C-alpha cells in the first residue's frame, strides 16, 4: 500500500471509532467482569426462570437474603461504602431491617400536596443558574440533596452541607458507572457531618442502630441512594422531553420513562430455602438470584419500584410526585433540546441544551450537532476508562471482601 493509502485507511479507522469501539469494549468489560466474579448468580429471566415466573420467584418468601453468601455483595458494598452493612437495601431480614425500614417509611410518608410543594421549594432553592449546555444529572443533584435534607432534618439545607451531599452522591454514582474511582475522603466528610448532626433530626431514628450506624444509615439511604436515584430518574424524564417533546400527560410520561429506563439494573437476592419450580427443577437454598429489571421490562413487565413482597423502593409513592413537580416547574421556565444518546445507565449524565423558555437560540442546529459529535467521541474514551477502572474496582472489591469479612466477624 502507498503512504497515501495507509493514511486514508488510518483516517477512516479513527473516524469510525465511535461506531464500533464502545460496543467492543463494553462486550470485553462484561466478559471480564463475569470471569472475575465467577459463576455467582442465576439470571432471571433466563433459562431456568422465564419472564412468566419472574414475579412469582421474586415474591417467594425464600428469596429474602440480601448480602450474606454472595460474592457479588462485596462489589456492591465496595461501591456503597461507608456503612453498606446498615444500608436498608443490604440488611439481612430480621429486627434491624424491620426497624430501619419502619423508620424510612415514617420519614418518607407525607401528603401528596406537601411532597409536591417540598420538591418545588427545593428546586427554587438549589437549582444552579444554568443557560446553555448542561448535564441534567449534575443539574438535579443539588435539588434532590436539598429535598432529602428537608425530609430528614425538616429545615432548608445550608449551601456547604449541600455541597457535601452532592460531592458524596456524585462520587458514589461515578464509581458505580465505572467512570471514576471512589474517593473515601469525600464520603467520610459527609459521615462526620451527619454524626455531629444526629441530634438535630426531628424523627426517632432506628433503636437497633448505635450512633455511628445511624449516621451511616442516613448517609446510605437518603443522601446516597435517594439523591442519586431521584436525580437520575429526573434526568431520564428531562432527556425524553428534550429529545421528543412532551405531548402526553406528565404522569404518563414519567411512568413510560421509568418503564423504558428502569433505575435498577440487577437486584440480587440469596435464597434462604429451596424454591420448587416444578417436579424437575428446584432452586436450592444459598443460590444467588439476579433479577434483571431491564430484561423484564423489555419483555412486557413493569416493576419500576420493585415488588411489594420483596423490599420495594421505600420512596415508591414520594419519588414520582417529586419528580413530576420538578419536571413541571423546570419545563415551565426552560426549553430543552438534546441530540445525545439516551441509555439506561446514563453514563454521559444527560447532555442537554437548556435555554429560558421562548428565547431564540442562535445556531441551534450547530449546537445540537456539536452535542451529538461530542457525545459520540466521549463514548470512545469513556468505554476504555470504564474497562480499566471497572476492572480495577472489581479486583479491589474482591480483595477487600467487605461483605464477606463483615459476616465472618
Amino acid at each position: 500500500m502507498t503512504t497515501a493509502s495507509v493514511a486514508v485507511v488510518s483516517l477512516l479507522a479513527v473516524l469510525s471509532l465511535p461506531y464500533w469501539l464502545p460496543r467492543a469494549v463494553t462486550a470485553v468489560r462484561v466478559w471480564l467482569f463475569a470471569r472475575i466474579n465467577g459463576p455467582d448468580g442465576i439470571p432471571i429471566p433466563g433459562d431456568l426462570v422465564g419472564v412468566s415466573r419472574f414475579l412469582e420467584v421474586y415474591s417467594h418468601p425464600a428469596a429474602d437474603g440480601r448480602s450474606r453468601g454472595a460474592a457479588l455483595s462485596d462489589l456492591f458494598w465496595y461501591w456503597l461504602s461507608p456503612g453498606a452493612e446498615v444500608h436498608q437495601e443490604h440488611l439481612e431480614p430480621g429486627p434491624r431491617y424491620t426497624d430501619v425500614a419502619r423508620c424510612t417509611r415514617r420519614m418518607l410518608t407525607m401528603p401528596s400536596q406537601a411532597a409536591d410543594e417540598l420538591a418545588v421549594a427545593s428546586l427554587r432553592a438549589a437549582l444552579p443558574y444554568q443557560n446553555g449546555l448542561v448535564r441534567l444529572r449534575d443539574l438535579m443533584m443539588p435539588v434532590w440533596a436539598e429535598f432529602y435534607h428537608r425530609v430528614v432534618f425538616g429545615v432548608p439545607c445550608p449551601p456547604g452541607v449541600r455541597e457535601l451531599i452532592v460531592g458524596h452522591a456524585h462520587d458514589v454514582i461515578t464509581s458505580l458507572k465505572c467512570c471514576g474511582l471512589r474517593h473515601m475522603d469525600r464520603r467520610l466528610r459527609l459521615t462526620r457531618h451527619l454524626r455531629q448532626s444526629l441530634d438535630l433530626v426531628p424523627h426517632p431514628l432506628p433503636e437497633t442502630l448505635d450512633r455511628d450506624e445511624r449516621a451511616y444509615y442516613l448517609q446510605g439511604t437518603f443522601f446516597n441512594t435517594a439523591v442519586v436515584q431521584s436525580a437520575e430518574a429526573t434526568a431520564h424524564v428531562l432527556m425524553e422531553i428534550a429529545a421528543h417533546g412532551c405531548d402526553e400527560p406528565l404522569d404518563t410520561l414519567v411512568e413510560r420513562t421509568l418503564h423504558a429506563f428502569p433505575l435498577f439494573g440487577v437486584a440480587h437476592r440469596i435464597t434462604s430455602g429451596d424454591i420448587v419450580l416444578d417436579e424437575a427443577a428446584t432452586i436450592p437454598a444459598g443460590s444467588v438470584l439476579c433479577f434483571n429489571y431491564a430484561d423484564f421490562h423489555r419483555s412486557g413487565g413493569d416493576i419500576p419500584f420493585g415488588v411489594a413482597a420483596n423490599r420495594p423502593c421505600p420512596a415508591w409513592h414520594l419519588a414520582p410526585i417529586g419528580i413530576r413537580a420538578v419536571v413541571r416547574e423546570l419545563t415551565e421556565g426552560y426549553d430543552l433540546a438534546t441530540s445525545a444518546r439516551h441509555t439506561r445507565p446514563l453514563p454521559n449524565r444527560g447532555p442537554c441544551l437548556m435555554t429560558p423558555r421562548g428565547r431564540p437560540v442562535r445556531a441551534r442546529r450547530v449546537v445540537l450537532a456539536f452535542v451529538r459529535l461530542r457525545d459520540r467521541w466521549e463514548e470512545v474514551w469513556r468505554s476504555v476508562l470504564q474497562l480499566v477502572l471497572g476492572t480495577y474496582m472489581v479486583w479491589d472489591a474482591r480483595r477487600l471482601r467487605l461483605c464477606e469479612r463483615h459476616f465472618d466477624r
Side-chain angles (χ1 to χ4, degrees), residues 375-391:
D375 188 56
R376 287 279 189 175
W377 281 100
E378 282 183 347
E379 197 171 11
V380 172
W381 67 259
R382 187 171 53 238
S383 63
V384 177
L385 182 71
Q386 287 177 304
L387 174 62
V388 175
L389 298 186
T391 301

Side-chain angles (χ1 to χ4, degrees), residues 49-343:
V49 179
V51 173
S52 63
R53 303 193 70 176
F54 183 99
L55 292 177
E56 174 192 344
V57 175
Y58 204 166
S59 303
H60 197 283
D64 61 348
R66 188 55 188 96
S67 293
R68 189 172 195 169
L72 188 59
S73 300
D74 285 323
L75 183 58
F76 281 101
W77 282 40
Y78 179 88
W79 280 328
L80 296 176
S81 58
E85 67 275 9
V86 294
H87 192 293
Q88 181 171 330
E89 182 60 13
H90 291 270
L91 279 170
E92 297 303 303
R96 279 162 67 91
Y97 170 74
T98 302
D99 187 24
V100 165
R102 184 186 302 116
C103 178
T104 304
R105 285 195 302 271
R106 186 167 54 239
M107 281 201 259
L108 294 180
T109 299
M110 66 179 71
S112 299
Q113 184 62 34
D116 186 292
E117 293 172 357
L118 185 62
V120 171
S122 299
L123 177 72
R124 293 174 178 173
L127 182 71
Y129 175 76
Q130 295 285 342
N131 183 21
L133 294 179
V134 301
R135 304 277 180 167
L136 290 170
R137 195 183 76 201
D138 296 350
L139 195 69
M140 290 296 103
M141 281 279 196
V143 174
W144 292 106
E146 178 74 28
F147 181 88
Y148 284 105
H149 186 278
R150 295 184 183 209
V151 167
V152 171
F153 290 97
V155 295
C157 185
V161 176
R162 194 161 61 231
E163 291 174 7
L164 282 180
I165 297 171
V166 171
H168 162 71
H170 179 75
D171 193 70
V172 171
I173 192 62
T174 300
S175 63
L176 269 167
K177 307 292 184 185
C178 299
C179 293
L181 297 175
R182 63 179 193 163
H183 301 84
M184 293 306 297
D185 55 335
R186 299 176 191 172
R187 303 182 183 197
L188 292 173
R189 281 198 289 268
L190 178 60
T191 307
R192 288 192 291 270
H193 168 76
L194 292 173
R195 190 182 292 119
Q196 295 164 2
S197 306
L198 286 176
D199 295 335
L200 302 178
V201 179
H203 312 277
L205 294 173
E207 296 179 355
T208 53
L209 304 183
D210 62 30
R211 189 171 183 86
D212 286 345
E213 289 172 334
R214 290 176 181 180
Y216 287 139
Y217 155 68
L218 293 177
Q219 183 166 350
T221 301
F222 294 97
F223 301 122
N224 171 358
T225 300
V227 171
V228 165
Q229 297 286 41
S230 297
E232 192 130 301
T234 310
H236 277 302
V237 176
L238 293 173
M239 280 289 282
E240 279 292 281
I241 293 172
H244 308 294
C246 183
D247 56 358
E248 58 189 323
L250 192 52
D251 285 1
T252 305
L253 175 64
V254 171
E255 183 178 346
R256 179 175 61 78
T257 301
L258 293 181
H259 178 84
F261 305 98
L263 297 177
F264 305 104
V266 174
H268 74 284
R269 300 288 185 268
I270 300 92
T271 56
S272 58
D274 293 349
I275 298 179
V276 178
L277 300 175
D278 53 44
E279 295 180 355
T282 296
I283 300 174
S287 298
V288 180
L289 310 178
C290 296
F291 297 96
N292 192 310
Y293 277 65
D295 283 354
F296 183 61
H297 281 202
R298 280 193 291 266
S299 301
D302 188 47
I303 50 168
F305 296 99
V307 296
N310 196 337
R311 302 198 183 196
C313 173
W316 66 270
H317 174 70
L318 183 67
I321 296 170
I323 291 167
R324 287 195 298 268
V326 168
V327 170
R328 183 191 68 235
E329 189 81 1
L330 196 63
T331 53
E332 285 178 357
Y334 293 92
D335 290 319
L336 306 173
T338 189
S339 53
R341 287 190 65 199
H342 186 187
T343 62

